[in-house]
Amino acid sequence: NVDGGTISDQVVSSRNALGASVEEVKEFQVLTNSYNAEYGQSGGVVLNVITRSGTNGFHGEGHYYTRGRNLTASNFFYNTSDDANFRRAPFHKYEGGFTVGGPLIKDRTFWFGSYEQTRQATPLQLTPPGGSINLTQPTKELLWSARMDHKLSTNNILTARFNVQRDLQHNLLVQIANVAAPESLVSNFVHDHTLNI
């Protein structure tokens, strides 16, 4: 559950939408057993997440993480190859994002936004009959959300949160061994949009 709304598929009891980015989480609760009937259709664990909201002061933060091939150990097969054209497949990971929030109407209406993007390329070694081929499997993930809170009374708050997740993956092996040719690789695109009020 995110901000009180379920993100589980009602048929197979698995997650069918994005929850929240790590920077956006204010607090969370993990229930492993003996939970109330309100958390039906759960066979193992229930995770409740509350996202951050704006305040009377403007605030924000950012983060960036990077890792390249030069920080990764080489494996045995790359080091023993005599082929001059056999090069180690590149690897990289870049992750960055920010959060920002503030008041729209002091003490009444607040806004909050979150943006996060991850780019990663992992090595993939194929061994088709023609010889060994090194490729990368690039992944790009984009997460962003916008939240608005309005204080109706001392005990009641109206909250609306819109969330977008986009995942793009290329050069995937699907039910095929590594002896496949590059033409057998596929791409996967996932676009989720959720609105909780």
Side-chain angles (χ1 to χ4, degrees):
N1 299 311
V2 176
D3 293 332
T6 183
I7 58 169
S8 295
D9 187 292
Q10 299 300 314
V11 177
V12 295
S13 295
S14 66
R15 188 182 73 128
N16 68 349
L18 173 76
S21 70
V22 175
E23 294 293 325
E24 188 181 5
V25 173
K26 178 181 176 183
E27 60 185 78
F28 66 93
Q29 175 188 38
V30 179
L31 304 174
T32 57
N33 59 13
S34 300
Y35 37 81
N36 295 335
E38 68 182 289
Y39 302 113
Q41 297 188 357
S42 178
V45 68
V46 174
L47 181 63
N48 291 319
V49 174
I50 303 297
T51 60
R52 295 166 58 190
S53 63
T55 62
N56 277 330
F58 288 100
H59 64 277
E61 60 187 15
H63 69 278
Y64 184 75
Y65 167 85
T66 184
R67 182 177 152 208
R69 175 173 58 182
N70 56 344
L71 299 174
T72 305
S74 185
N75 72 28
F76 175 79
F77 297 104
Y78 289 124
N79 293 332
T80 59
S81 176
D82 294 330
D83 185 357
N85 295 320
F86 187 79
R87 296 182 306 140
R88 192 167 149 199
F91 169 86
H92 71 266
K93 182 172 184 177
Y94 310 113
E95 181 178 317
F98 64 88
T99 60
V100 64
L104 198 60
I105 301 171
K106 189 174 180 179
D107 296 325
R108 295 288 284 178
T109 307
F110 309 97
W111 60 273
F112 186 83
S114 173
Y115 177 88
E116 183 175 288
Q117 186 178 68
T118 302
R119 291 175 184 255
Q120 178 172 312
T122 56
L124 172 66
Q125 182 178 357
L126 298 178
T127 54
S132 184
I133 300 172
N134 288 328
L135 301 170
T136 60
Q137 292 180 305
T139 300
K140 179 181 177 184
E141 181 181 48
L142 172 70
L143 309 169
W144 70 265
S145 67
R147 175 177 167 157
M148 187 77 70
D149 296 289
H150 181 71
K151 188 175 181 181
L152 299 172
S153 67
T154 306
N155 297 323
N156 297 298
I157 296 175
L158 178 63
T159 298
R161 181 174 174 269
F162 181 71
N163 190 64
V164 172
Q165 175 183 8
R166 293 186 177 154
D167 290 321
L168 308 159
Q169 297 174 305
H170 299 287
N171 294 339
L172 300 176
L173 283 169
V174 180
Q175 298 179 345
I176 301 174
N178 281 18
V179 296
E183 298 80 32
S184 303
L185 303 176
V186 299
S187 294
N188 182 40
F189 303 97
V190 176
H191 296 274
D192 280 338
H193 301 81
T194 57
L195 174 64
N196 291 344
I197 299 176

